């Protein structure tokens, strides 16, 4: 089970956003991904293997962590970052997702 | 441009079946696994299973093992998912997504289709 916190994050533009994803068991080989889902859109890959940015993802997005605790950091929040962010483990079948963190702009 | 294009929205009655499609373009179809993920309105993401388009072998989440079949057609570069015995709780957006790893699967998904809304209602 992946538990994400907080449920909702409300920040001003330019602030740093820190999103947490905690696994109930250690995630093998840091097989942890992050996805961004904007309203009415399909998810978009941000990070894989815990910290590898997907092609075209701005460097203000970064992933870190290992074992059971993972973090997605958005270093300087921009209005277009409003979305729900999901973590996903792919270290063991079945792949599972966290419940999501909603990021809002104040 | 790598792209997955899914079939249009569908409405079904309880007990019916639905067959969803996902057509790929912009890459070699047989070299990347395709996964299916669903999202009940207002809720999170749920992995349903994956298929190797080369050969057609599939692996399903236990929850869907008895009701889902995934197939592929290399001629049309299309993956299909058949969901049987639909219930109202199956009302969801169904996404296909490509595995990021070539030749094998990793579980990380790099390209997503636009989604297909399936409504199950009497």
């Amino acid at each position: 089970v992946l538990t994400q916190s907080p449920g909702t994050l409300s920040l001003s533009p330019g602030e740093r956003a820190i999103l947490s994803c905690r696994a109930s068991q250690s995630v093998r080989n840091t097989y942890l991904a992050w996805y961004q889902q904007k309203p009415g859109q399909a998810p978009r890959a941000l990070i894989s293997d815990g910290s590898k940015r997907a092609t075209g993802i701005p460097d203000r997005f970064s992933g870190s962590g290992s074992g059971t605790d993972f973090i997605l950091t958005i270093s300087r929040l921009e209005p277009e970052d409003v979305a729900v962010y999901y973590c996903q483990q792919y270290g063991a079948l079945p792949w599972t997702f966290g419940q999501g963190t909603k990021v809002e702009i104040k | 441009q790598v792209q997955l294009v899914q079939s249009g929205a569908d409405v079904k009655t309880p007990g019916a079946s639905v067959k969803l499609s996902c057509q790929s373009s912009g890459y070699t179809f047989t070299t990347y696994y395709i996964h299916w993920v669903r999202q009940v309105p207002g809720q999170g993401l749920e992995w349903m299973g994956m298929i190797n388009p080369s050969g057609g072998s599939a692996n399903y989440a236990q929850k869907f093992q008895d009701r889902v079949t995934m197939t592929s057609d290399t001629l049309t570069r299309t993956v299909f998912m058949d969901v049987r015995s639909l219930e109202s709780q199956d009302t969801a957006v169904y996404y296909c997504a490509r595995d990021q790893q070539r030749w094998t699967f990793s579980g990380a998904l790099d390209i997503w289709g636009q989604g297909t809304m399936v409504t199950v209602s009497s």
Side-chain angles (χ1 to χ4, degrees):
Chain A
V1 176
L2 297 178
T3 302
Q4 293 187 240
S5 61
T8 301
L9 196 53
S10 186
L11 296 168
S12 300
E15 288 193 302
R16 173 178 298 186
I18 297 176
L19 287 66
S20 171
C21 176
R22 178 161 288 176
S24 57
Q25 300 177 62
S26 183
V27 177
R28 182 176 68 94
N29 289 351
T30 320
Y31 286 153
L32 193 287
W34 290 93
Y35 303 92
Q36 175 193 64
Q37 187 176 35
K38 296 183 178 181
Q41 296 186 17
R44 172 195 183 195
L46 293 177
I47 300 283
S48 65
D49 296 346
S51 62
K52 296 178 183 175
R53 266 190 304 276
T55 303
I57 300 303
D59 60 8
R60 67 177 182 275
F61 291 91
S62 63
S64 62
S66 63
T68 60
D69 291 295
F70 296 86
I71 297 288
L72 175 70
T73 301
I74 310 173
S75 60
R76 297 171 305 279
L77 198 63
E78 298 194 4
E80 63 259 33
D81 299 334
V82 168
V84 179
Y85 293 83
Y86 294 95
C87 60
Q88 177 220 357
Q89 69 79 23
Y90 51 100
L93 282 164
W95 322 135
T96 53
F97 294 84
Q99 83 280 16
T101 289
K102 185 176 183 180
V103 173
E104 299 176 336
I105 295 286
K106 279 183 183 176
Chain B
Q1 178 190 2
V2 176
Q3 208 172 1
L4 299 174
V5 177
Q6 298 185 234
S7 46
D10 209 340
V11 179
K12 296 292 184 183
T13 54
S17 298
V18 67
K19 189 168 186 174
L20 308 177
S21 68
C22 170
Q23 186 173 39
S24 70
S25 61
Y27 70 97
T28 304
F29 175 68
T30 52
T31 59
Y32 291 87
Y33 279 65
I34 294 292
H35 302 252
W36 289 89
V37 175
R38 78 175 186 181
Q39 185 170 38
V40 171
Q43 297 188 24
L45 302 166
E46 184 174 27
W47 182 79
M48 300 180 69
M50 60 184 174
I51 183 169
N52 180 354
S54 175
S57 61
N59 186 315
Y60 306 111
Q62 189 170 10
K63 176 178 179 178
F64 301 103
Q65 183 86 36
D66 297 333
R67 295 198 296 132
V68 166
T69 302
M70 297 176 188
T71 56
S72 66
D73 181 345
T74 54
L75 286 178
T76 61
R77 305 167 60 87
T78 303
V79 168
F80 300 92
M81 181 173 69
D82 203 343
V83 185
R84 301 175 293 280
S85 303
L86 289 166
E87 304 173 351
S88 57
Q89 301 95 301
D90 294 316
T91 294
V93 177
Y94 291 78
Y95 294 102
C96 62
R98 192 185 78 165
D99 199 291
Q100 71 171 15
Q101 187 69 42
R102 200 173 181 191
W103 301 115
T104 183
F105 65 85
S106 68
L109 311 173
D110 65 348
I111 304 295
W112 292 66
Q114 84 278 17
T116 296
M117 180 70 208
V118 175
T119 302
V120 183
S121 174
S122 55

